[in-house]
Amino acid sequence: MIPKVAMIGGGSWATAIIKMLSDNFSAKEIYWWMRNAEAITHIQKYKHNPNYLSSVEVRIPEDNISDDIAGIIKKADYIILNVPAAFLKETLSTITPEQLKGKKIVSAIKGIVPDENQIIGEFLHLKYNIPLDDILVISGPCHAEEVALEKLSYLTIASVNVGLAGFFANLLSTRYIKTNVSDDIFGTEYAAVLKNIYAIASGICHGVGYGDNFQAVLISNAIREIKRFVDAVHPITRDIKESAYLGDLLVTAYSQFSRNRTFGNMIGKGYTVKSAQLEMNMIAEGYYAVSCMHHINKKYKVDMPISRAVYAILYEKHSPHIEMRLLTEQLN
Ligand SMILES: NC(=O)c1ccc[n+]([C@@H]2O[C@H](COP(=O)([O-])OP(=O)(O)OC[C@H]3O[C@@H](n4cnc5c(N)ncnc54)[C@H](O)[C@@H]3O)[C@@H](O)[C@H]2O)c1
Ligand SMILES: O=P(O)(O)OC[C@H](O)CO
């Protein structure tokens, strides 16, 4: 049977994954939901997303693109969730567990559901009764902008059902996309959430004037912070140096394309949170994630000085200069 894959979300990562699915040679039907009706009309007419990665040619049938989320979900057996975590509940607000029953749900989101303080897999399992065996996670290191340029990139597909992860990985592989499979769904998700926070820290440091030497210290402390946290939440044997953990942290903390780093840089340079957000047409997930992590870590009590400093700057209005100066005393 030909797999039917639906993309939920119209941003840059959604556009990049649509490109991968289209460039992959195996037979499949692709459906695409986005909330912006004007963008849909534009894509149907001109074959390009007007708002994100507009150089990417969209080669799916016009009728397969719609703003009717229930209709799109009904047609597909693989549903890729790809809106920022802050909007996931709102996006799925009209969808019932019954409508998702029997479908494989793939999270391309790197964030935490606000209020629930749950990673996406947990949220899908608890709120929509999706069996863990039917949940998959797509992780990087991979930036949408480089996918658009067909720069060689590696993805990790995680699921407790590694056979399913392997099958789905084969739908994404192309000349420029290589895929790995992992069974560490919780560690992969949490590491992806945390690295956005450390990329904000990296941007703040750059913004207040620290150089590459200190940034290297910050990031080597950040990977240890990630390891402490994922080991506390889901203690299995894992190599934190694998690309899905360390690689994802490095690309987000150093890349010119990173929204989180760009956002942090603006905060370091003195922008308020609101003005930095207005300046960017894109979402820095780490801003929302650091607040959720602050609450989640009340339970685990893991030592996370970098995450705590970012929270203090973004949510308690502490001075980036002072907070980063205090942080330097805690790193090694
Ligand atoms: N861009 C990347 O390179 C990349 C890579 C890996 C993972 N991700 C993850 O993919 C997810 C989607 O991010 P993105 O990069 O595509 O986002 P983006 O910043 O490119 O686009 C923003 C998206 O948010 C949507 N949006 C904005 N306001 C909304 C609202 N009120 N309600 C519903 N939707 C709204 C927009 O329609 C658009 O789809 C995030 O979790 C991100 O961490 C992104
Ligand atoms: O790299 P950023 O900061 O654009 O974040 C988006 C995704 O989380 C990348 O993995």
Side-chain angles (χ1 to χ4, degrees), residues 16 26 39 41 46 48 79 88 105-106 108 138 150 172 214 256 280 285 305 327:
S26 58
T41 309
Y46 300 109
H48 295 271
I79 313 294
L88 182 63
I105 314 293
V106 186
I138 302 179
E150 301 190 356
L172 295 170
F214 177 66
Q256 55 166 322
M280 294 169 60
E285 281 276 21
L327 183 63

Side-chain angles (χ1 to χ4, degrees), residues 110 142-143 195-196 199 248 252 257-261:
K110 293 184 175 177
C142 190
H143 270 127
K195 60 91 192 184
N196 286 335
D248 207 16
T252 305
F257 295 121
S258 168
R259 273 149 276 228
N260 289 289
R261 190 177 196 277

Side-chain angles (χ1 to χ4, degrees), residues 105-116:
I105 314 293
V106 186
S107 170
I109 299 168
K110 293 184 175 177
I112 294 184
V113 183
D115 306 326
E116 311 297 334

Side-chain angles (χ1 to χ4, degrees), residues 11-264:
S12 16
W13 193 222
T15 309
I17 296 179
I18 288 282
K19 174 175 167 61
M20 293 174 207
L21 290 165
S22 308
D23 289 348
N24 170 277
F25 288 124
S26 58
K28 66 183 86 58
E29 288 175 21
I30 305 172
Y31 297 90
W32 195 358
W33 172 88
M34 66 186 75
R35 67 192 174 112
N36 184 337
E38 271 176 38
I40 292 174
T41 309
H42 186 102
I43 296 172
Q44 288 168 331
K45 200 164 168 192
Y46 300 109
K47 313 289 176 215
H48 295 271
N49 186 340
N51 302 318
Y52 300 95
L53 301 191
S54 48
S55 66
V56 168
E57 187 186 353
V58 178
R59 301 187 310 269
I60 60 178
E62 280 176 31
D63 291 346
N64 290 17
I65 312 172
S66 164
D67 60 359
D68 168 14
I69 191 166
I72 290 284
I73 285 178
K74 193 169 177 192
K75 286 179 182 151
D77 32 40
Y78 288 84
I79 313 294
I80 307 179
L81 300 176
N82 206 345
V83 293
F87 308 125
L88 182 63
K89 271 169 93 172
E90 182 188 324
T91 301
L92 295 180
S93 60
T94 57
I95 301 299
T96 63
E98 195 54 34
Q99 288 168 294
L100 293 178
K101 199 169 173 188
K103 302 192 187 278
K104 315 290 182 203
I105 314 293
V106 186
S107 170
I109 299 168
K110 293 184 175 177
I112 294 184
V113 183
D115 306 326
E116 311 297 334
N117 292 329
Q118 291 163 346
I119 50 174
I120 312 301
E122 220 176 353
F123 174 74
L124 293 169
H125 183 56
L126 298 174
K127 170 108 196 263
Y128 285 94
N129 307 326
I130 312 290
L132 282 182
D133 254 9
D134 288 345
I135 296 174
L136 301 102
V137 167
I138 302 179
S139 198
C142 190
H143 270 127
E145 290 79 0
E146 290 201 358
V147 173
L149 296 169
E150 301 190 356
K151 300 252 184 204
L152 180 64
S153 310
Y154 289 61
L155 293 178
T156 294
I157 313 303
S159 175
V160 293
N161 182 346
V162 286
L164 179 65
F167 176 81
F168 194 76
N170 284 334
L171 298 184
L172 295 170
S173 305
T174 66
R175 179 177 49 75
Y176 55 90
I177 297 288
K178 292 185 187 292
T179 52
N180 302 310
V181 166
S182 161
D183 62 359
D184 183 17
I185 178 168
F186 295 102
T188 303
E189 268 216 67
Y190 269 118
V193 166
L194 286 166
K195 60 91 192 184
N196 286 335
I197 299 171
Y198 303 126
I200 292 181
S202 166
I204 295 175
C205 285
H206 187 259
V208 299
Y210 291 91
D212 293 349
N213 292 349
F214 177 66
Q215 173 145 344
V217 172
L218 179 80
I219 299 308
S220 58
N221 278 265
I223 193 66
R224 281 175 266 157
E225 210 166 290
I226 291 178
K227 179 165 170 45
R228 283 197 295 276
F229 187 81
V230 294
D231 284 353
V233 174
H234 190 52
I236 58 164
T237 306
R238 62 169 68 79
D239 182 355
I240 206 72
K241 297 187 296 307
E242 282 177 8
S243 301
Y245 314 110
L246 179 59
D248 207 16
L249 169 67
L250 291 175
V251 76
T252 305
Y254 285 96
S255 172
Q256 55 166 322
F257 295 121
S258 168
R259 273 149 276 228
N260 289 289
R261 190 177 196 277
T262 305
F263 174 73

